[in-house]
Amino acid sequence: MQNLKHDHQLVIVGGGVAGLELASALARDNRPTKGGARLHVTLVDRDSAHVWKPMLHTIAAGTRDVHQQQTVYAAHARDAGFTYQPGELYGLDREKTEILVAPLHARDGRLIVPARRIGYDTLVLAVGSQANDFGTPGVLDHCMMIDSRTQADAFNQEIRARLLQCLSQSQTLNVAIVGGGATGVELAAELVQLTTSAIAYGATDLSGRINITLIESGPRLLAAFPDDISAATQARLEALGITVLTSTRVTAATAQGFVLGDGSTLDASLKVWAAGVKASRTLTELDGLEVARGNQLQVRSSLATTLDPHIFAMGDCSQIVSEGKPPLPPTAQVAHQQAQHLIRHLPGHLFKGKPIPDFVYQDLGAIVSLGDYGAFASLGKFGLFKGTTIRGRLAQLGHVMLYRSHQARIHGFWRGGLLWLIDMLNARLRAPIRLD
């Protein structure tokens, strides 16, 4: 690539962990080159606001306020210096270097923004992932998912309505969560915290009326964690009154509950599917770009797609083509590290023709938080204490710092610090659960 002496249009699709960090950093540090060229950054997302994905389970349970924790794209774009375009990607024209953005409609069906095309010089796809139903009958019709801010908020509205039904009609609420990964485990613990807080606010009749079941098809919870963390997490959940079913396969979802692999049924009036991960099917229809089995775009070690050096992909929607190495896990840690890789190297590549070095993932460990009931962490494969597991307050602090670091990266150090201070004040001044 030759040195550019004209402005360069960088379009980023997806405002999750990777996409928003990339857009914020490159737009904020957008100094012109010696030839006067600038990088114009455009962020495209179907939602109007960003929530850190590892926090979605707290939004769903109502133990965090979605309005307090979200970053509104339009306002943040003004502060950081990029352009925000609302809409969902539905196509790609590589010959014309344009993406196709679907129309936006109001809830009553009125057209708000028509379908349009957005041109790019360089395109970065960071559209994340969603739960994988594995073709299980009835899941899409009867289960709720919490892969996005809007889904988490919808679940919160539903769980609060169901709790009111329990109170007013003396009913029992059976909640079943499929998926014993971090999302399912953390959601189960937050629902216990929601119930306990609601009882403290006077809903004493809820005691004993909420039954939570967590279903995992594998032999243990948190398969990506060490065995001792899996065992300790399951013991803690069971101590909280949660029924944990491992080595249990779900074969169908119905209006009444789940059909299990042995032919038995599990009654559940509120069902959550948090098992498996796949990328959007839209990625399989992007003008011939290569995709992997889970709809992920295949990329080289530079994160450029295999068939187009002007299109990059990162985070959950991408898979690095690498013989003999397992795919990277679909985690916020991987998305963050890939965003930082492009933040460091993409401007030099675009304006000076420098090659982008291979991305190297560093497994720094993982943390699972059970809200007020504890946390467990593995320190990963790097550093002085690699392989160490920690729990309790130290692990909880680590979980908090991950979120605060993300806020600092997208908002800057001082604004991120002020947001932390506001959260600390609200924790003392406001109810611990959403009551509106």
Side-chain angles (χ1 to χ4, degrees):
M1 183 175 290
Q2 302 296 320
N3 290 358
L4 296 180
K5 296 183 180 180
H6 58 82
D7 289 353
H8 194 85
Q9 302 295 329
L10 172 64
V11 175
I12 303 168
V13 181
V17 170
L20 190 58
E21 287 188 9
L22 181 64
S24 302
L26 294 186
R28 192 176 288 118
D29 190 29
N30 190 11
R31 295 185 295 270
T33 65
K34 292 182 179 179
R38 283 185 178 273
L39 188 66
H40 289 278
V41 181
T42 300
L43 178 69
V44 180
D45 196 280
R46 63 183 178 181
D47 204 349
S48 60
H50 161 81
V51 170
W52 191 52
K53 192 169 184 178
M55 185 179 281
L56 286 177
H57 65 282
T58 65
I59 304 298
T63 52
R64 292 266 190 163
D65 187 342
V66 62
H67 302 294
Q68 183 179 327
Q69 301 303 328
Q70 67 187 11
T71 297
V72 178
Y73 290 126
H76 184 63
R78 180 202 62 185
D79 296 334
F82 62 84
T83 300
Y84 163 64
Q85 289 275 5
E88 183 174 7
L89 174 75
Y90 80 93
L92 171 67
D93 189 331
R94 288 200 284 146
E95 182 178 353
K96 295 182 178 179
T97 61
E98 294 176 335
I99 62 170
L100 285 63
V101 180
L104 285 177
H105 292 89
R107 291 184 179 180
D108 60 6
R110 286 176 297 161
L111 178 64
I112 301 175
V113 181
R116 59 208 186 278
R117 288 173 171 253
I118 299 175
Y120 66 86
D121 294 310
T122 298
L123 175 64
V124 179
L125 298 170
V127 295
S129 63
Q130 60 196 45
N132 189 350
D133 66 355
F134 303 104
T136 307
V139 170
L140 297 180
D141 295 325
H142 301 293
C143 296
M144 302 191 74
M145 301 180 184
I146 53 171
D147 297 318
S148 67
R149 180 187 72 105
T150 51
Q151 287 181 341
D153 190 44
F155 178 85
N156 179 250
Q157 306 241 8
E158 183 66 21
I159 187 70
R160 288 187 291 135
R162 297 298 183 97
L163 291 178
L164 285 174
Q165 278 185 323
C166 285
L167 289 172
S168 63
Q169 302 177 26
S170 300
Q171 296 179 348
T172 297
L173 175 60
N174 296 318
V175 182
I177 304 167
V178 178
T183 299
V185 165
E186 292 178 331
L187 177 62
E190 293 292 336
L191 290 178
V192 173
Q193 187 170 327
L194 167 66
T195 305
T196 301
S197 296
I199 292 173
Y201 274 91
T204 54
D205 288 347
L206 286 179
S207 181
R209 291 190 182 172
I210 312 299
N211 300 316
I212 302 171
T213 302
L214 180 62
I215 307 170
E216 167 56 35
S217 62
R220 63 186 179 93
L221 301 179
L222 302 172
F225 286 74
D227 290 346
D228 61 332
I229 289 182
S230 297
T233 299
Q234 179 169 341
R236 189 70 180 111
L237 293 178
E238 290 174 339
L240 293 172
I242 298 169
T243 300
V244 179
L245 303 177
T246 56
S247 300
T248 302
R249 188 168 61 93
V250 172
T251 59
T254 68
Q256 291 73 38
F258 289 115
V259 179
L260 305 182
D262 61 2
S264 63
T265 59
L266 176 70
D267 291 339
S269 51
L270 186 55
K271 296 165 285 294
V272 184
W273 191 271
V277 171
K278 67 177 180 179
S280 170
R281 184 171 177 78
T282 300
L283 300 181
T284 66
E285 303 168 352
L286 292 185
D287 203 0
L289 293 180
E290 290 186 308
V291 295
R293 183 177 179 181
N295 301 341
Q296 295 169 303
L297 291 167
Q298 292 193 334
V299 299
R300 304 187 187 281
S301 296
S302 64
L303 303 184
T305 53
T306 53
L307 298 183
D308 196 323
H310 304 292
I311 301 176
F312 295 78
M314 59 181 181
D316 295 1
C317 74
S318 68
Q319 183 181 109
I320 296 176
V321 178
S322 179
E323 293 185 6
K325 293 183 179 180
L328 295 178
T331 63
Q333 180 183 172
V334 172
H336 157 65
Q337 290 187 25
Q338 292 182 338
Q340 294 303 306
H341 186 74
L342 290 185
I343 288 169
R344 286 191 296 268
H345 301 294
L346 191 58
H349 173 68
L350 298 180
F351 290 104
K352 298 179 182 179
K354 295 181 178 180
I356 297 179
D358 292 348
F359 170 74
V360 178
Y361 170 60
Q362 292 189 329
D363 182 0
L364 302 179
I367 301 176
V368 59
S369 172
L370 305 183
D372 288 348
Y373 307 114
F376 303 90
S378 168
L379 298 187
K381 300 177 182 179
F382 292 87
L384 181 62
F385 301 101
K386 61 182 179 181
T388 303
T389 58
I390 58 176
R391 59 190 67 194
R393 293 186 179 274
L394 186 58
Q396 284 180 321
L397 177 61
H399 192 267
V400 169
M401 293 309 298
L402 287 176
Y403 178 44
R404 299 309 172 184
S405 297
H406 172 66
Q407 285 187 312
R409 285 190 292 269
I410 62 175
H411 295 289
F413 177 79
W414 294 110
R415 180 171 293 209
L418 287 174
L419 288 171
W420 190 355
L421 176 61
I422 291 171
D423 282 350
M424 292 175 64
L425 292 174
N426 280 330
R428 293 184 174 274
L429 298 174
R430 302 178 66 177
I433 58 173
R434 187 175 175 184
L435 296 172
D436 61 312

PDB file of all heavy atoms in Angstrom, residues 270-290:
ATOM      1  N   LEU A 270     -40.358 -19.603  32.748  1.00  0.00           N
ATOM      2  CA  LEU A 270     -39.437 -18.618  32.172  1.00  0.00           C
ATOM      3  C   LEU A 270     -38.156 -19.349  31.805  1.00  0.00           C
ATOM      4  O   LEU A 270     -37.472 -19.916  32.659  1.00  0.00           O
ATOM      5  CB  LEU A 270     -39.151 -17.499  33.179  1.00  0.00           C
ATOM      6  CG  LEU A 270     -38.313 -16.317  32.671  1.00  0.00           C
ATOM      7  CD1 LEU A 270     -38.943 -15.697  31.430  1.00  0.00           C
ATOM      8  CD2 LEU A 270     -38.168 -15.268  33.757  1.00  0.00           C
ATOM      9  N   LYS A 271     -37.848 -19.335  30.508  1.00  0.00           N
ATOM     10  CA  LYS A 271     -36.735 -20.136  29.990  1.00  0.00           C
ATOM     11  C   LYS A 271     -35.694 -19.227  29.342  1.00  0.00           C
ATOM     12  O   LYS A 271     -36.043 -18.338  28.560  1.00  0.00           O
ATOM     13  CB  LYS A 271     -37.255 -21.145  28.966  1.00  0.00           C
ATOM     14  CG  LYS A 271     -38.215 -22.164  29.568  1.00  0.00           C
ATOM     15  CD  LYS A 271     -38.992 -22.915  28.522  1.00  0.00           C
ATOM     16  CE  LYS A 271     -40.100 -22.061  27.908  1.00  0.00           C
ATOM     17  NZ  LYS A 271     -41.166 -21.692  28.841  1.00  0.00           N
ATOM     18  N   VAL A 272     -34.420 -19.485  29.654  1.00  0.00           N
ATOM     19  CA  VAL A 272     -33.311 -18.709  29.108  1.00  0.00           C
ATOM     20  C   VAL A 272     -32.352 -19.651  28.402  1.00  0.00           C
ATOM     21  O   VAL A 272     -31.979 -20.682  28.954  1.00  0.00           O
ATOM     22  CB  VAL A 272     -32.552 -17.945  30.217  1.00  0.00           C
ATOM     23  CG1 VAL A 272     -31.460 -17.066  29.610  1.00  0.00           C
ATOM     24  CG2 VAL A 272     -33.506 -17.110  31.055  1.00  0.00           C
ATOM     25  N   TRP A 273     -31.956 -19.274  27.180  1.00  0.00           N
ATOM     26  CA  TRP A 273     -30.987 -20.074  26.438  1.00  0.00           C
ATOM     27  C   TRP A 273     -29.665 -19.315  26.404  1.00  0.00           C
ATOM     28  O   TRP A 273     -29.559 -18.262  25.808  1.00  0.00           O
ATOM     29  CB  TRP A 273     -31.475 -20.353  25.022  1.00  0.00           C
ATOM     30  CG  TRP A 273     -30.645 -21.386  24.309  1.00  0.00           C
ATOM     31  CD1 TRP A 273     -29.535 -21.167  23.562  1.00  0.00           C
ATOM     32  CD2 TRP A 273     -30.855 -22.804  24.313  1.00  0.00           C
ATOM     33  NE1 TRP A 273     -29.026 -22.345  23.085  1.00  0.00           N
ATOM     34  CE2 TRP A 273     -29.821 -23.374  23.526  1.00  0.00           C
ATOM     35  CE3 TRP A 273     -31.797 -23.644  24.884  1.00  0.00           C
ATOM     36  CZ2 TRP A 273     -29.723 -24.748  23.313  1.00  0.00           C
ATOM     37  CZ3 TRP A 273     -31.695 -25.009  24.668  1.00  0.00           C
ATOM     38  CH2 TRP A 273     -30.669 -25.553  23.885  1.00  0.00           C
ATOM     39  N   ALA A 274     -28.650 -19.870  27.070  1.00  0.00           N
ATOM     40  CA  ALA A 274     -27.332 -19.224  27.134  1.00  0.00           C
ATOM     41  C   ALA A 274     -26.245 -20.217  26.785  1.00  0.00           C
ATOM     42  O   ALA A 274     -25.126 -20.146  27.288  1.00  0.00           O
ATOM     43  CB  ALA A 274     -27.102 -18.652  28.532  1.00  0.00           C
ATOM     44  N   ALA A 275     -26.566 -21.169  25.903  1.00  0.00           N
ATOM     45  CA  ALA A 275     -25.622 -22.237  25.546  1.00  0.00           C
ATOM     46  C   ALA A 275     -25.074 -22.010  24.148  1.00  0.00           C
ATOM     47  O   ALA A 275     -25.827 -21.710  23.227  1.00  0.00           O
ATOM     48  CB  ALA A 275     -26.330 -23.591  25.603  1.00  0.00           C
ATOM     49  N   GLY A 276     -23.778 -22.167  24.004  1.00  0.00           N
ATOM     50  CA  GLY A 276     -23.173 -22.100  22.685  1.00  0.00           C
ATOM     51  C   GLY A 276     -23.071 -20.692  22.131  1.00  0.00           C
ATOM     52  O   GLY A 276     -23.735 -19.767  22.589  1.00  0.00           O
ATOM     53  N   VAL A 277     -22.217 -20.541  21.136  1.00  0.00           N
ATOM     54  CA  VAL A 277     -21.979 -19.231  20.514  1.00  0.00           C
ATOM     55  C   VAL A 277     -21.856 -19.418  19.008  1.00  0.00           C
ATOM     56  O   VAL A 277     -21.217 -20.371  18.540  1.00  0.00           O
ATOM     57  CB  VAL A 277     -20.679 -18.584  21.056  1.00  0.00           C
ATOM     58  CG1 VAL A 277     -20.315 -17.350  20.255  1.00  0.00           C
ATOM     59  CG2 VAL A 277     -20.850 -18.209  22.529  1.00  0.00           C
ATOM     60  N   LYS A 278     -22.466 -18.517  18.272  1.00  0.00           N
ATOM     61  CA  LYS A 278     -22.272 -18.481  16.825  1.00  0.00           C
ATOM     62  C   LYS A 278     -22.366 -17.036  16.360  1.00  0.00           C
ATOM     63  O   LYS A 278     -22.969 -16.185  17.019  1.00  0.00           O
ATOM     64  CB  LYS A 278     -23.316 -19.341  16.107  1.00  0.00           C
ATOM     65  CG  LYS A 278     -24.741 -18.816  16.217  1.00  0.00           C
ATOM     66  CD  LYS A 278     -25.712 -19.676  15.424  1.00  0.00           C
ATOM     67  CE  LYS A 278     -27.144 -19.137  15.549  1.00  0.00           C
ATOM     68  NZ  LYS A 278     -28.106 -19.958  14.753  1.00  0.00           N
ATOM     69  N   ALA A 279     -21.765 -16.757  15.214  1.00  0.00           N
ATOM     70  CA  ALA A 279     -21.854 -15.430  14.628  1.00  0.00           C
ATOM     71  C   ALA A 279     -23.122 -15.325  13.793  1.00  0.00           C
ATOM     72  O   ALA A 279     -23.791 -16.317  13.505  1.00  0.00           O
ATOM     73  CB  ALA A 279     -20.616 -15.151  13.783  1.00  0.00           C
ATOM     74  N   SER A 280     -23.447 -14.107  13.393  1.00  0.00           N
ATOM     75  CA  SER A 280     -24.664 -13.865  12.619  1.00  0.00           C
ATOM     76  C   SER A 280     -24.601 -14.557  11.263  1.00  0.00           C
ATOM     77  O   SER A 280     -23.555 -14.593  10.602  1.00  0.00           O
ATOM     78  CB  SER A 280     -24.860 -12.362  12.418  1.00  0.00           C
ATOM     79  OG  SER A 280     -25.902 -12.112  11.484  1.00  0.00           O
ATOM     80  N   ARG A 281     -25.733 -15.057  10.824  1.00  0.00           N
ATOM     81  CA  ARG A 281     -25.808 -15.695   9.509  1.00  0.00           C
ATOM     82  C   ARG A 281     -25.517 -14.701   8.389  1.00  0.00           C
ATOM     83  O   ARG A 281     -25.105 -15.082   7.289  1.00  0.00           O
ATOM     84  CB  ARG A 281     -27.188 -16.336   9.317  1.00  0.00           C
ATOM     85  CG  ARG A 281     -27.317 -17.100   8.012  1.00  0.00           C
ATOM     86  CD  ARG A 281     -28.601 -17.902   7.931  1.00  0.00           C
ATOM     87  NE  ARG A 281     -28.722 -18.571   6.647  1.00  0.00           N
ATOM     88  CZ  ARG A 281     -28.089 -19.678   6.315  1.00  0.00           C
ATOM     89  NH1 ARG A 281     -27.289 -20.257   7.174  1.00  0.00           N
ATOM     90  NH2 ARG A 281     -28.245 -20.229   5.118  1.00  0.00           N
ATOM     91  N   THR A 282     -25.719 -13.416   8.642  1.00  0.00           N
ATOM     92  CA  THR A 282     -25.443 -12.390   7.637  1.00  0.00           C
ATOM     93  C   THR A 282     -24.005 -12.488   7.129  1.00  0.00           C
ATOM     94  O   THR A 282     -23.722 -12.198   5.961  1.00  0.00           O
ATOM     95  CB  THR A 282     -25.690 -10.992   8.231  1.00  0.00           C
ATOM     96  OG1 THR A 282     -27.059 -10.892   8.636  1.00  0.00           O
ATOM     97  CG2 THR A 282     -25.394  -9.894   7.221  1.00  0.00           C
ATOM     98  N   LEU A 283     -23.087 -12.903   7.985  1.00  0.00           N
ATOM     99  CA  LEU A 283     -21.680 -12.960   7.598  1.00  0.00           C
ATOM    100  C   LEU A 283     -21.425 -14.001   6.516  1.00  0.00           C
ATOM    101  O   LEU A 283     -20.415 -13.932   5.804  1.00  0.00           O
ATOM    102  CB  LEU A 283     -20.810 -13.258   8.819  1.00  0.00           C
ATOM    103  CG  LEU A 283     -20.877 -12.234   9.962  1.00  0.00           C
ATOM    104  CD1 LEU A 283     -19.956 -12.643  11.098  1.00  0.00           C
ATOM    105  CD2 LEU A 283     -20.524 -10.838   9.469  1.00  0.00           C
ATOM    106  N   THR A 284     -22.323 -14.965   6.366  1.00  0.00           N
ATOM    107  CA  THR A 284     -22.148 -15.986   5.336  1.00  0.00           C
ATOM    108  C   THR A 284     -22.565 -15.482   3.965  1.00  0.00           C
ATOM    109  O   THR A 284     -22.394 -16.193   2.967  1.00  0.00           O
ATOM    110  CB  THR A 284     -22.968 -17.249   5.679  1.00  0.00           C
ATOM    111  OG1 THR A 284     -24.379 -16.935   5.623  1.00  0.00           O
ATOM    112  CG2 THR A 284     -22.628 -17.747   7.072  1.00  0.00           C
ATOM    113  N   GLU A 285     -23.113 -14.267   3.909  1.00  0.00           N
ATOM    114  CA  GLU A 285     -23.633 -13.721   2.652  1.00  0.00           C
ATOM    115  C   GLU A 285     -22.964 -12.405   2.280  1.00  0.00           C
ATOM    116  O   GLU A 285     -23.557 -11.559   1.609  1.00  0.00           O
ATOM    117  CB  GLU A 285     -25.147 -13.522   2.782  1.00  0.00           C
ATOM    118  CG  GLU A 285     -25.893 -14.815   3.157  1.00  0.00           C
ATOM    119  CD  GLU A 285     -27.327 -14.577   3.566  1.00  0.00           C
ATOM    120  OE1 GLU A 285     -27.710 -13.392   3.708  1.00  0.00           O
ATOM    121  OE2 GLU A 285     -28.071 -15.562   3.749  1.00  0.00           O
ATOM    122  N   LEU A 286     -21.710 -12.227   2.707  1.00  0.00           N
ATOM    123  CA  LEU A 286     -21.006 -10.967   2.464  1.00  0.00           C
ATOM    124  C   LEU A 286     -20.089 -11.072   1.248  1.00  0.00           C
ATOM    125  O   LEU A 286     -18.864 -11.116   1.357  1.00  0.00           O
ATOM    126  CB  LEU A 286     -20.211 -10.558   3.712  1.00  0.00           C
ATOM    127  CG  LEU A 286     -21.039 -10.167   4.933  1.00  0.00           C
ATOM    128  CD1 LEU A 286     -20.134  -9.674   6.052  1.00  0.00           C
ATOM    129  CD2 LEU A 286     -22.086  -9.107   4.585  1.00  0.00           C
ATOM    130  N   ASP A 287     -20.695 -11.136   0.089  1.00  0.00           N
ATOM    131  CA  ASP A 287     -19.976 -11.041  -1.180  1.00  0.00           C
ATOM    132  C   ASP A 287     -18.798 -12.009  -1.264  1.00  0.00           C
ATOM    133  O   ASP A 287     -17.705 -11.654  -1.715  1.00  0.00           O
ATOM    134  CB  ASP A 287     -19.489  -9.604  -1.399  1.00  0.00           C
ATOM    135  CG  ASP A 287     -19.243  -9.283  -2.876  1.00  0.00           C
ATOM    136  OD1 ASP A 287     -19.457 -10.182  -3.717  1.00  0.00           O
ATOM    137  OD2 ASP A 287     -18.814  -8.163  -3.177  1.00  0.00           O
ATOM    138  N   GLY A 288     -19.017 -13.232  -0.795  1.00  0.00           N
ATOM    139  CA  GLY A 288     -18.034 -14.275  -0.999  1.00  0.00           C
ATOM    140  C   GLY A 288     -16.932 -14.382   0.028  1.00  0.00           C
ATOM    141  O   GLY A 288     -16.027 -15.218  -0.119  1.00  0.00           O
ATOM    142  N   LEU A 289     -16.941 -13.579   1.093  1.00  0.00           N
ATOM    143  CA  LEU A 289     -15.911 -13.699   2.116  1.00  0.00           C
ATOM    144  C   LEU A 289     -15.987 -15.088   2.756  1.00  0.00           C
ATOM    145  O   LEU A 289     -17.066 -15.629   2.986  1.00  0.00           O
ATOM    146  CB  LEU A 289     -16.084 -12.623   3.195  1.00  0.00           C
ATOM    147  CG  LEU A 289     -15.851 -11.174   2.753  1.00  0.00           C
ATOM    148  CD1 LEU A 289     -16.058 -10.233   3.940  1.00  0.00           C
ATOM    149  CD2 LEU A 289     -14.454 -10.984   2.172  1.00  0.00           C
ATOM    150  N   GLU A 290     -14.828 -15.654   3.073  1.00  0.00           N
ATOM    151  CA  GLU A 290     -14.786 -16.999   3.627  1.00  0.00           C
ATOM    152  C   GLU A 290     -15.239 -17.009   5.079  1.00  0.00           C
ATOM    153  O   GLU A 290     -14.857 -16.135   5.863  1.00  0.00           O
ATOM    154  CB  GLU A 290     -13.361 -17.561   3.536  1.00  0.00           C
ATOM    155  CG  GLU A 290     -12.910 -17.869   2.115  1.00  0.00           C
ATOM    156  CD  GLU A 290     -11.564 -18.545   2.085  1.00  0.00           C
ATOM    157  OE1 GLU A 290     -10.627 -18.006   2.705  1.00  0.00           O
ATOM    158  OE2 GLU A 290     -11.435 -19.607   1.455  1.00  0.00           O
TER     159      GLU A 290
END
